[in-house]
Amino acid sequence: MDIRQLNYFIAVAEERHFGRAAKRLHMAQPPLSQQIRQLEDQLGVKLLNRTTRRVDLTAAGQLLLDRGRQIVNEVATLQADVYQVGRGATGVLRVGFSGSATYGVMPRIARLAKQVLPGLSLALHGEMLTPSMEAGLRDGTLDAALLRPPVASQDIDYRTVTREPLVVALPSFSALAVDRPVAMHELQDQDFIAYGPESVLYRTTADLCRQAGFQPRITQVVGETSTMLAFVAAGGGVAIMPSSVQAFQLEGVAYREIENVPDVELAVAWLRGHQSALLHNFLEVVVTATAGAAAPSPGHAPLPTDERLSHS
């Protein structure tokens, strides 16, 4: 018994008439009658009592009708679900992102993903540093990541999606919290709060301080952006951060531009060779949500493609 035969039987059982069932199925009546007899022979039971005027169901036929409807509906649902997954329209993606991305691009990305990929479920892992996200991409616990380049692993491709200036987060009572940009050398007597030494922003902070002629006095190392800002508000020091963090307003914290410092990048990254329609569609959402924030960079990887997607 196959789905085609089951559909034939359901049509006859519901119409109680071979002629009407054949018309509904857009086929001739003799082949339909032959298919039902073959089905009865395969099952070894009589499914229908035939008269010149109508068709009635036997007990076995009634059971097959009831269960057959369920099976046909489940197969149709399965076909639709498989199609949606194959097209990258539904499924789960595990996405890591840096703490500062929480206040910048992630809300835009999540909002657009919900609009254009309503069947996509994002399992979000925030407040991650670049090395941890690289490890997650390599070991398969992450499908994509929004991280700060550079990327150490040659197994990972990435594409820059934003560039933003750096700011310094200061206690609001600080003498430097005036309405003007701050020069790096003005921070030489400050205590610094920073991410761990493995982070890109830790290295960036140290480099900027050295270029300004001093070694940063890092008195507090934290793993979360919100914790860092809480320490700043409490007067524990200052912190060099991407400007997008200014979306997080915390009483006691003032943000000021820094003179003559380079922008920092945020990139979307994936494991090289990971070809998935769902991943491809999500990366397209990321690029669209961040359009205009960064010009393409030479050497940065094009988005991965899925052969089934590109040829459909």
Side-chain angles (χ1 to χ4, degrees), residues 24-266:
R24 168 174 155 181
L25 294 166
H26 306 288
M27 64 186 298
Q29 181 174 332
L32 177 58
S33 298
Q34 183 180 12
Q35 288 291 329
I36 299 301
R37 289 196 183 279
Q38 288 179 0
L39 180 59
E40 289 178 319
D41 290 342
Q42 291 172 11
L43 296 175
V45 296
K46 190 174 183 180
L47 300 172
L48 302 171
N49 289 317
R50 301 161 177 82
T51 69
T52 55
R53 292 176 174 267
R54 59 178 286 123
V55 173
D56 291 319
L57 292 172
T58 64
Q62 185 63 54
L63 175 63
L64 183 59
L65 176 62
D66 295 340
R67 296 283 294 276
R69 283 168 170 162
Q70 296 175 19
I71 292 170
V72 167
N73 288 336
E74 288 175 1
V75 169
T77 300
L78 176 61
Q79 289 174 331
D81 290 346
V82 169
Y83 176 77
Q84 291 298 319
V85 170
R87 291 286 297 169
T90 187
V92 178
L93 276 182
R94 299 155 300 173
V95 180
F97 57 96
S98 67
S100 54
T102 307
Y103 313 106
V105 301
M106 278 308 301
R108 300 203 303 273
I109 291 169
R111 186 163 52 247
L112 184 60
K114 185 176 181 180
Q115 292 173 0
V116 302
L117 295 172
L120 170 64
S121 177
L122 292 176
L124 299 176
H125 304 270
E127 299 286 2
M128 296 185 71
L129 300 180
T130 292
S132 297
M133 286 186 272
E134 287 189 58
L137 291 172
R138 289 197 307 270
D139 66 23
T141 56
L142 292 179
D143 300 301
L146 286 151
L147 48 73
R148 301 283 176 191
V151 173
S153 174
Q154 295 184 354
D155 296 328
I156 294 172
D157 286 330
Y158 69 93
R159 176 169 174 169
T160 298
V161 292
T162 68
R163 291 188 184 85
E164 55 186 312
L166 290 167
V167 298
V168 56
L170 304 154
S172 56
F173 55 78
S174 169
L176 295 174
V178 293
D179 190 17
R180 64 170 178 80
V182 174
M184 279 300 302
H185 68 83
E186 294 181 274
L187 301 176
Q188 60 184 334
D189 294 326
Q190 302 293 317
D191 292 334
F192 279 80
I193 305 164
Y195 297 109
E198 69 276 17
S199 77
V200 171
L201 285 175
Y202 180 101
R203 297 192 296 272
T204 299
T205 298
D207 289 344
L208 291 174
C209 291
R210 282 193 291 269
Q211 291 168 17
F214 67 97
Q215 293 290 330
R217 189 169 64 237
I218 297 175
T219 58
Q220 189 69 51
V221 173
V222 300
E224 299 82 25
T225 301
S226 56
T227 303
M228 181 180 292
L229 292 173
F231 274 107
V232 172
V238 302
I240 306 296
M241 313 183 80
S243 61
S244 57
V245 77
Q246 295 176 92
F248 183 74
Q249 293 294 319
L250 182 64
E251 184 177 358
V253 176
Y255 300 102
R256 294 294 178 265
E257 296 178 9
I258 307 174
E259 293 180 351
N260 302 319
V261 295
D263 293 347
V264 290
E265 296 181 344
L266 184 72

